[in-house]
Amino acid sequence: MALKSTIFKANLQIADIDHGYYADHALTLARHPSETDERMMVRLVALALHAHQLQDTCNGDGTLAFGAGLSDPDDPDASLTDFTGRKRLWIEVGQPEDKPLSKACSKADAVVVYAFNHAAEVWWKGIANKLTRLDKLQVWRIPSEAAQELAQLAERSMQLQATVQEGALTLSSNLGSVHLEPLRWH
């Protein structure tokens, strides 16, 4: 019998000072049995970092949502879809292969990867040459220590505040706060 995903609910208040975006988002995250709290929380952070594009890119008329994640490798970890159904933003978390990223670039206006674990540098050195030709792609590094700290904020029902200022994000809850500065690799 297959194990089912665990459902997490997050009320996320975003104050993106860099982009003048202030909004509350009620989110549902399905965590696949093989997904860690760390990876799930990095997905949430990635969504928070790009939430402003709901207004900037879609003028508020779009859907910012989590994909099926590990349950469906052809679905993004998070995405922004405009009212016509066009994928404006495709977000992947972890260390995806080059072929799925190339495919994602053909399906979306922009593709963003957030690498976060201790082996991210090794992954990047091995794949960087294959990805440099993808002009729609951005690759970011979230420090491993910060990603591990994010896992400590995971709860089945979360009340979170995300503040984005000068390219850095601070995620806070009643369990504490984590400050992280993503580093752009590509």
Side-chain angles (χ1 to χ4, degrees), residues 71-132:
S71 300
D72 183 355
D74 294 329
D75 203 31
D77 288 320
S79 65
L80 173 62
T81 308
D82 70 14
F83 72 97
T84 68
R86 179 175 158 192
K87 284 266 191 268
R88 304 303 297 262
L89 178 64
W90 182 297
I91 299 172
E92 289 290 338
V93 169
Q95 301 170 8
E97 295 294 322
D98 60 312
K99 285 184 175 53
L101 288 175
S102 181
K103 193 173 181 182
C105 285
S106 70
K107 293 180 179 180
D109 292 353
V111 177
V112 181
V113 174
Y114 284 95
F116 64 90
N117 75 21
H118 63 280
E121 281 80 7
V122 174
W123 166 79
W124 180 241
K125 284 179 184 171
I127 201 168
N129 289 337
K130 298 176 184 176
L131 300 180
T132 53

Side-chain angles (χ1 to χ4, degrees), residues 6 8 15 28 46 51 58 63-64 71 78-79 94 106 111 113 117 169-170 186:
T6 305
F8 288 75
T28 300
C58 297
T63 305
L64 187 63
S71 300
S79 65
S106 70
V111 177
V113 174
N117 75 21
L169 178 133
T170 302
H186 172 75

Side-chain angles (χ1 to χ4, degrees), residues 10-176:
N11 288 319
L12 178 63
Q13 298 173 333
I14 299 173
D16 188 334
I17 297 161
D18 290 350
H19 300 97
Y21 179 81
Y22 305 90
D24 295 346
H25 294 269
L27 304 168
T28 300
L29 294 103
R31 192 189 74 203
H32 188 272
S34 66
E35 183 176 36
T36 63
D37 284 345
E38 180 180 0
R39 186 180 190 283
M40 179 187 71
M41 294 303 287
V42 170
R43 284 195 293 140
L44 191 136
V45 162
L47 187 130
L49 286 167
H50 293 278
H52 69 92
Q53 291 184 348
L54 184 59
Q55 188 62 45
D56 295 351
T57 303
C58 297
N59 296 318
D61 198 0
T63 305
L64 187 63
F66 292 106
L70 295 175
S71 300
D72 183 355
D74 294 329
D75 203 31
D77 288 320
S79 65
L80 173 62
T81 308
D82 70 14
F83 72 97
T84 68
R86 179 175 158 192
K87 284 266 191 268
R88 304 303 297 262
L89 178 64
W90 182 297
I91 299 172
E92 289 290 338
V93 169
Q95 301 170 8
E97 295 294 322
D98 60 312
K99 285 184 175 53
L101 288 175
S102 181
K103 193 173 181 182
C105 285
S106 70
K107 293 180 179 180
D109 292 353
V111 177
V112 181
V113 174
Y114 284 95
F116 64 90
N117 75 21
H118 63 280
E121 281 80 7
V122 174
W123 166 79
W124 180 241
K125 284 179 184 171
I127 201 168
N129 289 337
K130 298 176 184 176
L131 300 180
T132 53
R133 60 178 164 56
L134 301 175
D135 59 341
K136 292 182 179 181
L137 178 70
Q138 289 184 21
V139 180
W140 292 82
R141 170 73 161 120
I142 297 206
S144 297
E145 307 78 36
Q148 291 167 5
E149 290 173 25
L150 287 171
Q152 304 307 313
L153 301 181
E155 297 180 276
R156 294 286 301 272
S157 181
M158 299 179 270
Q159 300 291 325
L160 300 165
Q161 298 78 40
T163 304
V164 180
Q165 187 172 13
E166 296 179 6
L169 178 133
T170 302
L171 189 67
S172 305
S173 78
N174 61 333
L175 298 175

